[in-house]
Amino acid sequence: MFSKACEYGIRATIYITEQSLFSKKVSLKDVANAIESPEAYTSKILQQLVKNNIIQSEKGPHGGFTIPEKEIKSLTISQIVVAIDGDQIFNGCGLGLKQCNERKPCPVHNQFKLIRGNLKMMLESTTIHSLALQLHQGFSFLKS
Amino acid sequence: MFSKACEYGIRATIYITEQSLFSKKVSLKDVANAIESPEAYTSKILQQLVKNNIIQSEKGPHGGFTIPEKEIKSLTISQIVVAIDGDQIFNGCGLGLKQCNERKPCPVHNQFKLIRGNLKMMLESTTIHSLALQLHQGFSFLKS
DNA sequence: TTCGTAAAAGTAATTAATTTCTTTTAGTGG
DNA sequence: CCACTAAAAGAAATTAATTACTTTTACGAA
């Protein structure tokens, strides 16, 4: 469904948000540990999220990652997915046709339109904040 | 969503089914042409489908691919997806956790369960036959 | 101020998986 | 036996994932 980078990105953001709830800054190492991901690769992904203004970073001793106060309640899964994987998942053709639309649809165009609509709605309405709360209460997990 | 191999596999099967409606056998070249796919790669994919008894093949002059008469009405997208991509799309965790279930769910477990349920239902209830009919009537297309 | 250290940012290289291309093999009908 | 067509195997190319290494920035102690 998503690329591995995107999966890591979502998990990382949920973790950072959970810690940001208590104004805790987290280091790259913390993140990689919490979500069981390769550290250097995770670094790349977090950089992308910083560039897209989804998370904040500070260098130097006691540096680390946080979620901007302003966004912490409104950030959705969708924003992360678009930042990392682009909008292919929402707009791309289910059978891989370059061009696929109402006027020249692939055989499953309408069926996929429905499914993708559901997916989009879910990703846009689910906030990272709500997921972080559940995580904090021990109702869900970020690593196996 | 699906691998490229799977996309080609679905498109190829729709095309073969359309031709099978009129008892026409199609060659590898025909298929690759009709769906605009690399010929050799398509060959490998069709081989997989043959091994999974989804399509039939015959070698030699006038050889080619057909859909077994018995299955032509009942074959669904789901069968092709499972044969090529496996059931990861139905059962895998949306955030890539090795282990993700009711007892130890990832943060989006329930949300994805719904979406995947919808997807599964769609893929299992949509027959290739119905798609082939629409294609034949010119309502949809297999290449851009 | 200056220097050392801790942290993220940036760059390049490696590995692994997927997709594509090439060649050979094998079965079938004329 | 010959020509045609799919099967099989392997090599090459592309893309995705991961790792290793260097640079930049910021803080704190001397």
Side-chain angles (χ1 to χ4, degrees), chain A residues 113-144:
Chain A
K113 205 169 138 185
L114 261 174
I115 299 291
R116 281 207 308 262
N118 291 340
L119 179 64
K120 188 171 187 187
M121 203 147 56
M122 186 276 272
L123 296 178
E124 284 178 348
S125 65
T126 305
T127 65
I128 298 292
H129 183 257
S130 69
L131 300 177
L133 281 178
Q134 293 216 335
L135 175 69
H136 187 69
Q137 295 172 324
F139 294 148
S140 64
F141 303 85
L142 286 174
K143 58 181 174 186
S144 10

Coordinates of all heavy atoms in Angstrom, one line a residue, chain A residues 113-144:
Chain A
K113 N -12.2 3.9 -7.7 CA -12.5 5.3 -7.3 C -13.2 5.2 -5.9 O -12.8 6.0 -5.0 CB -13.5 5.9 -8.3 CG -13.4 7.4 -8.4 CD -14.2 7.9 -9.6 CE -15.0 9.1 -9.3 NZ -15.9 9.5 -10.5
L114 N -14.1 4.3 -5.8 CA -14.8 4.2 -4.5 C -13.8 3.8 -3.4 O -13.7 4.5 -2.3 CB -15.8 3.0 -4.6 CG -17.2 3.5 -4.8 CD1 -18.1 2.2 -5.0 CD2 -17.7 4.2 -3.6
I115 N -13.0 2.8 -3.6 CA -12.0 2.4 -2.6 C -11.1 3.5 -2.2 O -10.8 3.8 -1.0 CB -11.2 1.2 -3.1 CG1 -12.1 0.0 -3.4 CG2 -10.1 0.8 -2.1 CD1 -12.7 -0.7 -2.2
R116 N -10.5 4.1 -3.2 CA -9.6 5.2 -3.0 C -10.3 6.4 -2.3 O -9.6 7.1 -1.4 CB -8.9 5.7 -4.3 CG -7.8 4.7 -4.7 CD -6.8 5.5 -5.6 NE -7.5 6.2 -6.6 CZ -7.6 5.8 -7.8 NH1 -7.1 4.6 -8.2 NH2 -8.3 6.5 -8.7
G117 N -11.5 6.6 -2.6 CA -12.3 7.6 -1.9 C -12.3 7.3 -0.4 O -12.1 8.2 0.5
N118 N -12.7 6.1 -0.1 CA -12.7 5.6 1.3 C -11.4 5.9 2.0 O -11.3 6.4 3.1 CB -13.1 4.2 1.4 CG -14.5 3.9 1.0 OD1 -15.3 4.8 1.0 ND2 -14.7 2.6 0.7
L119 N -10.3 5.4 1.3 CA -9.0 5.5 1.9 C -8.6 7.0 2.1 O -8.1 7.3 3.2 CB -8.0 4.9 0.9 CG -6.5 4.9 1.3 CD1 -6.3 4.1 2.6 CD2 -5.6 4.4 0.2
K120 N -8.9 7.8 1.2 CA -8.5 9.2 1.3 C -9.3 9.8 2.5 O -8.7 10.5 3.3 CB -8.9 9.9 0.0 CG -8.4 11.4 0.0 CD -8.6 12.0 -1.4 CE -7.9 13.4 -1.4 NZ -8.2 14.1 -2.6
M121 N -10.5 9.5 2.6 CA -11.3 10.1 3.7 C -10.7 9.6 5.0 O -10.6 10.4 5.9 CB -12.8 9.6 3.5 CG -13.8 10.5 4.2 SD -15.3 10.4 3.2 CE -15.7 8.7 3.2
M122 N -10.4 8.4 5.1 CA -9.8 7.9 6.3 C -8.5 8.6 6.7 O -8.3 9.0 7.8 CB -9.6 6.3 6.2 CG -9.2 5.6 7.4 SD -7.4 5.7 7.7 CE -6.9 4.2 6.8
L123 N -7.6 8.7 5.7 CA -6.3 9.3 5.9 C -6.4 10.7 6.3 O -5.6 11.3 7.0 CB -5.4 9.0 4.7 CG -5.1 7.6 4.4 CD1 -4.2 7.5 3.2 CD2 -4.4 6.9 5.6
E124 N -7.4 11.4 5.7 CA -7.6 12.8 5.9 C -8.3 13.1 7.3 O -8.1 14.2 7.8 CB -8.3 13.5 4.8 CG -7.4 13.7 3.6 CD -8.2 14.3 2.4 OE1 -9.4 14.3 2.4 OE2 -7.5 14.6 1.4
S125 N -9.0 12.2 7.7 CA -9.8 12.5 9.0 C -9.2 11.9 10.2 O -9.6 12.2 11.3 CB -11.2 11.9 8.8 OG -11.2 10.5 8.7
T126 N -8.2 11.0 10.0 CA -7.5 10.5 11.2 C -6.3 11.3 11.6 O -5.3 11.4 10.8 CB -7.0 9.0 10.9 OG1 -8.1 8.2 10.4 CG2 -6.4 8.4 12.1
T127 N -6.3 11.9 12.8 CA -5.2 12.7 13.2 C -4.1 11.9 13.9 O -4.4 10.9 14.5 CB -5.7 13.8 14.2 OG1 -6.1 13.2 15.4 CG2 -6.8 14.7 13.6
I128 N -2.9 12.3 13.7 CA -1.8 11.7 14.3 C -1.9 11.8 15.8 O -1.6 10.9 16.6 CB -0.5 12.3 13.9 CG1 -0.3 12.2 12.4 CG2 0.7 11.8 14.6 CD1 0.0 10.7 11.9
H129 N -2.5 13.0 16.2 CA -2.7 13.2 17.7 C -3.6 12.1 18.3 O -3.2 11.6 19.4 CB -3.4 14.6 17.8 CG -3.6 15.0 19.2 ND1 -4.9 14.9 19.8 CD2 -2.8 15.5 20.2 CE1 -4.8 15.3 21.1 NE2 -3.5 15.7 21.3
S130 N -4.7 11.8 17.7 CA -5.5 10.7 18.2 C -4.8 9.4 18.3 O -5.0 8.7 19.3 CB -6.8 10.6 17.4 OG -6.5 10.0 16.1
L131 N -4.0 9.1 17.3 CA -3.2 7.9 17.3 C -2.2 7.9 18.4 O -1.9 6.8 19.1 CB -2.6 7.6 16.0 CG -3.5 7.6 14.8 CD1 -2.7 7.4 13.5 CD2 -4.5 6.4 14.9
A132 N -1.6 9.0 18.7 CA -0.5 9.2 19.7 C -1.2 9.0 21.1 O -0.5 8.4 22.0 CB 0.1 10.5 19.6
L133 N -2.4 9.4 21.3 CA -3.1 9.3 22.5 C -3.3 7.8 22.8 O -3.0 7.3 23.9 CB -4.4 10.0 22.6 CG -4.3 11.5 22.8 CD1 -5.7 12.1 22.8 CD2 -3.7 11.8 24.2
Q134 N -3.8 7.1 21.8 CA -4.1 5.7 22.0 C -2.8 4.9 22.3 O -2.8 4.0 23.1 CB -4.7 5.1 20.7 CG -6.1 5.7 20.4 CD -6.9 4.6 19.8 OE1 -6.4 3.7 19.2 NE2 -8.2 4.7 20.0
L135 N -1.7 5.3 21.6 CA -0.5 4.7 21.8 C 0.0 4.9 23.2 O 0.4 3.9 23.9 CB 0.6 5.3 20.8 CG 2.0 4.8 21.0 CD1 2.2 3.4 20.6 CD2 3.0 5.7 20.3
H136 N -0.2 6.1 23.7 CA 0.3 6.4 25.0 C -0.5 5.6 26.1 O 0.1 5.3 27.1 CB 0.1 7.9 25.3 CG 0.7 8.3 26.6 ND1 2.1 8.4 26.8 CD2 0.2 8.8 27.7 CE1 2.3 8.8 28.0 NE2 1.2 9.0 28.6
Q137 N -1.7 5.4 25.8 CA -2.6 4.6 26.7 C -2.3 3.1 26.7 O -3.0 2.3 27.3 CB -4.0 4.9 26.5 CG -4.4 6.4 26.8 CD -5.8 6.7 26.3 OE1 -6.3 6.2 25.3 NE2 -6.5 7.5 27.1
G138 N -1.4 2.7 25.8 CA -1.1 1.3 25.7 C -2.0 0.5 24.9 O -2.0 -0.7 24.9
F139 N -2.9 1.2 24.1 CA -3.8 0.4 23.3 C -3.3 0.0 21.9 O -3.9 -0.8 21.2 CB -5.1 1.3 23.0 CG -5.8 1.5 24.3 CD1 -6.6 2.7 24.5 CD2 -5.9 0.6 25.3 CE1 -7.3 3.0 25.7 CE2 -6.6 0.8 26.5 CZ -7.3 2.0 26.7
S140 N -2.1 0.6 21.5 CA -1.5 0.2 20.3 C 0.0 0.2 20.4 O 0.5 0.8 21.3 CB -2.0 1.1 19.1 OG -1.6 2.4 19.3
F141 N 0.6 -0.3 19.3 CA 2.1 -0.5 19.4 C 2.8 0.0 18.1 O 2.2 -0.1 17.0 CB 2.4 -1.9 19.6 CG 1.7 -2.4 20.9 CD1 0.4 -2.9 20.9 CD2 2.4 -2.4 22.1 CE1 -0.2 -3.3 22.0 CE2 1.8 -2.8 23.3 CZ 0.5 -3.3 23.2
L142 N 4.0 0.4 18.2 CA 4.8 0.9 17.0 C 5.8 -0.1 16.6 O 6.5 0.1 15.6 CB 5.4 2.2 17.3 CG 4.5 3.4 17.4 CD1 5.2 4.6 17.9 CD2 3.8 3.6 16.1
K143 N 6.0 -1.2 17.3 CA 6.9 -2.2 16.8 C 6.4 -3.6 17.3 O 5.7 -3.7 18.3 CB 8.4 -2.0 17.3 CG 8.5 -1.9 18.8 CD 10.0 -1.6 19.2 CE 10.2 -1.4 20.7 NZ 11.6 -1.0 21.0
S144 N 6.9 -4.6 16.5 CA 6.5 -6.0 16.9 C 7.6 -6.5 17.8 O 7.6 -7.3 18.6 CB 6.2 -6.9 15.7 OG 6.6 -6.3 14.5

